[in-house]
Each structure stands twice: as C-alpha cells, then as structure tokens.
Amino acid sequence: MTGQRPTAEPLVLGIESSCDETGVGLVRGTTLLADAVATSVDEHARFGGVVPEVASRAHLEAMAPTLERAWAQAGVRPTDVDAVAVTRGPGLAGALTVGVGAAKALALALGVPLYGVNHLAAHVAVDVLEHGPLPRPTAALLVSGGHTSLLLVRDITCDVEQLGTTIDDAAGEAFDKVARVLGLPFPGGPQIDRTAAAGDPQAIRFPRGLTAPHDMREHRYDWSFSGLKTAVARWVERRLAAGQDVPVADVAASFQEAVADVLTRKAVLACREHGVDHLVMGGGAVANSRLRSLAAERCREAGIDLRIPRRDLCTDNGAMVAALGAQVVAAGHAPSPLDLSVDSSLPVTSIVA
Ligand code: KG4
Ligand code: ZN
C-alpha cells in the first residue's frame, strides 16, 4: 500500500436489490467503507420461497433507510460519491427495478456516472475487499440461490468465460428444496449447514451427478443437482413409509457432503486442466461451512491458492456491487446510459451495461 493513494481513488456507491436483500455499499479502491443490508427474508418464509411482489415492495421501503445507514457507517455525505454502481441483473425484474431506479435518481441528482453491473460478477469481485486485487487469470466458483457456475476470469470487468454450469437446479436451490423435505424452514441453506454439524456426512451415499465417465466427456465441468434432490426425497419417503424416524442431521450432512464434493472436485479439475493456480469462490451458498472446508482441503492438496470472502460478503450485499463498480471505474469503462434497463436473465459474461 502506498501512503496517500486510497484518498485519490473514487468513492463508489453500490446498490443491490436483485432478490430479497436491499444492499448499499461504499467502497474506495479495494477498501470497504460501508456495508448496510436490509432483508425481507422473514416476509417470504411463510410462503417457502421469495415472493417477487413482496420483495419489490420491501426494497422500496428499505432503500432510503439503508442508504442512510451506509452514509453513517462510512462517515461520508452523498455529495462525496464519485460514481454509482447498481445490479441490473440477473434477478427478479421488479426487485431490480427498485435498485436501478434509486441508482439513476442518485446519479442524476449528484451529477456522477452510473454503472449497471452484473450481480454474478459482483459475487466474485467482492473478494478484493478482503484479499486485494484478483490474480489474473483466476478460476471462480460461483454458487448462489439461482446460479452455479465455474468461470475462467481473465479480467472481472470485461473478460469472463463460463467453463461449466448446472444443467438443472442451482446448488443453493437444492439446499432450499432438501431443507423443505426435511421440514426445515426457509431459507434452507443455513438450516442444513447448522443441522449437518451434528450429523455423519458418510451416513448415506447420495449420488454425485455428472461424474460418471461418459458424463465427464460431455459435461466435464457441469453439475446436476436435481437427481440428488430427488434421491434425498426418495430416501426420506422410504424411511417414513417403513415407519422409521428420519435421521435429519445425517441426511443433511450426507446431502451437504455430496454437493461440496462435486462442486470442489470439478473446480479443482478445471484449475488443473487450464493451468490456473488460483480459485476464488463467491455467492450465498459459499457461506456453507463444509463447502468452505472441503475447498480449502482440496486446493491445498492441489497447490491451488484459494480465496473465499467472509460469510456476510458471500450472501447478497451492496459492498459487492460497489467493489465491482470500483474495479470497472478503475479500468476506465464507459458509464451506462440513464435509460439503462434491468435484465432478469443477464448472462455472467455481460458485466457492464
Ligand atoms: O447469493 P445469494 O445470497 O442470493 C442469490 O443471488 O441467489 O444466495 C442465496 C442462497 C440460498 O439458496 C441460500 O439457501 C444459500 O444461498 N445459502 C447457503 C448458506 N447460506 C446461504 N447454502 C448453504 N449453506 C449456507 N450456510
Ligand atoms: Zn447473489
């Protein structure tokens, strides 16, 4: 670090509203100044999943108070902001619209540039706040509620190649669905993680999708979690039909082991086969303790340098958007037009609008 440089770097505001978290972050360079998050998760719990309309209204209510908290945390005023970054996709269209609307209003009022950025790239970019600039190239394993991807990142602001993805459910989605089968409340990921701590991960051998030799030819770096989810449901049904108790902790631990196993196995394989010795992980499901520990173990064995953001930076937040925004600004990319729209199915390779 050179003494004075950070103050010369632009102050970037990041706004996130793609799902059920309203996030506002403030970042200067790679320094995190504020990370304020409001969640509407409790309002969705009784429906067993995120209700888009409820999420949009919650963002509308939470946006201004969350911005206020961010200014206070960072000790800055809105007029100190040099650029505004906002998630424009992928995510729920109505929810994204609230964040993009707020970002446009701020950019216009403050007379600063607006950058509409990709939520998935932001999950990877956030790691700079903890571990400094990303190595180039690096592989990235992205595991969130709606996406599971293996990426080759040459430049997180403009050059990301998708090596593999799920061919059906996202890993986070599988966590949520298996939790429901086990009678655990929404959102299921953290519940499974907690419940699994008391279970035996070797108790039940659940299937590892797309790892058979012929699948490894056609879907070398892809995953499938729908068969695993069904296998867990069948296993539980059989126990209940036989009048036996369901060992919830063992099922949770064995399921979690199967997910962590296939995710880390293919990520390490892709690193080896692409001659990349850095792996960054990001996304809500990367908060999972077994996924973190198995990744650490396998990367150590393979000589891969692993970077994982701390848990609250893995789940959705505004700091990740500000972190990506700061890198986009530093790289000199053109700002987005003020008629920027949202894109609920924005591909991971499209980073700045
Ligand atoms: O990235 P994220 O916050 O939102 C999306 O962009 O989708 O990811 C949310 C997902 C949910 O499926 C949630 O169950 C999962 O991340 N998740 C976890 C854990 N914490 C959150 N999954 C497994 N273990 C956890 N500890
Ligand atoms: Zn996310």
Side-chain angles (χ1 to χ4, degrees):
M1 257 296 152
T2 56
Q4 299 99 343
R5 239 186 108 238
T7 48
E9 285 170 311
L11 177 65
V12 180
L13 170 71
I15 296 183
E16 157 61 32
S17 71
S18 67
C19 192
D20 55 346
E21 266 91 36
T22 311
V24 177
L26 284 159
V27 165
R28 200 188 281 284
T30 57
T31 305
L32 177 62
L33 302 178
D35 181 19
V37 179
T39 178
S40 59
V41 67
D42 292 343
E43 294 174 57
H44 308 287
R46 68 194 167 100
F47 301 105
V50 175
V51 183
E53 181 72 20
V54 173
S56 304
R57 283 167 190 248
H59 287 305
L60 195 59
E61 289 168 10
M63 190 58 72
T66 311
L67 278 159
E68 292 292 348
R69 280 201 287 134
W71 309 133
Q73 264 181 34
V76 301
R77 289 163 307 184
T79 47
D80 295 328
V81 167
D82 297 303
V84 178
V86 62
T87 299
R88 67 174 292 244
L92 304 168
L96 289 164
T97 300
V98 178
V100 169
K104 284 184 183 182
L106 282 161
L108 199 58
L110 298 170
V112 298
L114 171 76
Y115 295 86
V117 299
N118 189 304
H119 178 85
L120 305 175
H123 268 307
V124 177
V126 72
D127 189 67
V128 304
L129 300 178
E130 276 203 287
H131 304 114
L134 291 176
R136 294 187 189 186
T138 181
L141 175 60
L142 177 73
V143 197
S144 75
H147 296 83
T148 310
S149 299
L150 192 53
L151 310 171
L152 180 59
V153 180
R154 295 185 192 90
D155 181 339
I156 194 60
T157 72
C158 62
D159 190 354
V160 172
E161 182 188 342
Q162 182 163 280
L163 301 175
T165 187
T166 174
I167 61 165
D168 41 54
D169 293 350
E173 209 177 332
F175 270 98
D176 294 332
K177 288 178 179 167
V178 164
R180 201 176 312 166
V181 166
L182 293 177
L184 301 170
F186 173 84
Q191 296 284 339
I192 297 244
D193 200 346
R194 228 168 285 140
T195 308
D200 174 6
Q202 312 302 334
I204 309 148
R205 177 79 191 174
F206 286 126
R208 269 64 170 164
L210 300 185
T211 55
H214 64 280
D215 289 323
M216 289 304 286
R217 278 194 295 277
E218 220 182 304
H219 289 289
R220 195 157 189 81
Y221 307 129
D222 292 329
W223 297 280
S224 163
F225 295 105
S226 106
L228 170 61
K229 171 194 71 189
T230 309
V232 175
R234 291 280 137 74
W235 195 93
V236 170
E237 276 164 23
R238 276 199 304 274
R239 287 288 287 213
L240 293 174
Q244 293 169 315
D245 284 344
V246 176
V248 174
D250 284 349
V251 176
S254 301
F255 160 75
Q256 182 175 275
E257 189 67 20
V259 175
D261 179 19
V262 289
L263 286 173
T264 55
R265 208 193 294 184
K266 292 205 173 188
V268 167
L269 181 70
C271 285
R272 278 215 191 103
E273 294 181 347
H274 285 78
V276 175
D277 46 15
H278 300 277
L279 175 66
V280 186
M281 287 171 48
V286 173
N288 185 265
S289 25
R290 183 54 181 152
L291 180 54
R292 296 169 85 91
S293 67
L294 191 57
E297 197 180 304
R298 289 186 172 169
C299 284
R300 203 182 314 115
E301 283 164 12
I304 296 164
D305 159 55
L306 175 68
R307 302 174 27 146
I308 314 184
R310 60 170 202 256
R311 281 189 170 77
D312 60 321
L313 292 179
C314 286
T315 48
D316 288 351
N317 63 80
M320 66 191 218
V321 181
L324 176 56
Q327 292 167 73
V328 165
V329 171
H333 291 287
S336 307
L338 277 179
D339 65 354
L340 171 77
S341 61
V342 303
D343 184 344
S344 52
S345 52
L346 189 68
V348 67
T349 47
S350 175
I351 298 156
V352 195

